[in-house]
Amino acid sequence: MALKGKYWREDRNAPFAILLGTVETHCHPEAYDEAYEDLIQRARHPEGDAGINDFKEQLRTALQDTSKLPEDSLFTAAQYSDGSDGKFLSRLWRDLYPNEPLPAS
């Protein structure tokens, strides 16, 4: 079954729902002011919360194989201008986790 639209809003257990919901909240051009900075601070907090830890794991999985993301879901969530899911996710990882190597594919 193909997942379309903002499916992650209806089903938090859907594939990559935590990643996509977080990206939509913090990376979309219409996100609130300081949204991206808030995500950076949350990701870099030494103790991290369960939500950000789940986000990081889904981000790592998506970086390792972007074909696992439902078609157009990441672009729908972020409206990025990076040119591809992989480029957007790589930039996001480097911004959030600058002291950690980019997950290998």
Side-chain angles (χ1 to χ4, degrees):
M1 176 173 122
L3 298 170
K4 296 290 183 186
K6 296 181 179 183
Y7 70 87
W8 57 89
R9 288 182 175 177
E10 281 83 44
D11 183 0
R12 297 299 291 170
N13 294 314
F16 297 98
I18 295 168
L19 172 67
L20 296 168
T22 303
V23 164
E24 181 180 22
T25 299
H26 295 281
C27 304
H28 193 279
E30 296 177 4
Y32 65 93
D33 292 342
E34 309 300 321
Y36 199 70
E37 291 77 13
D38 288 350
L39 179 59
I40 291 171
Q41 287 182 346
R42 191 172 164 209
R44 293 182 186 177
H45 192 277
E47 286 143 28
D49 57 71
I52 201 68
N53 293 335
D54 292 342
F55 163 81
K56 185 177 182 180
E57 187 55 38
Q58 288 187 8
L59 175 57
R60 182 187 322 275
T61 299
L63 273 163
Q64 291 170 337
D65 185 358
T66 58
S67 71
K68 291 181 178 180
L69 288 164
E71 187 177 352
D72 296 324
S73 61
L74 189 60
F75 183 78
T76 299
Q79 298 291 304
Y80 59 76
S81 61
D82 298 74
S84 72
D85 287 354
K87 288 179 183 178
F88 170 77
L89 292 172
S90 294
R91 175 175 57 85
L92 183 60
W93 182 275
R94 286 189 303 272
D95 287 351
L96 299 179
Y97 309 106
N99 297 322
E100 296 183 40
L102 195 63
S105 54

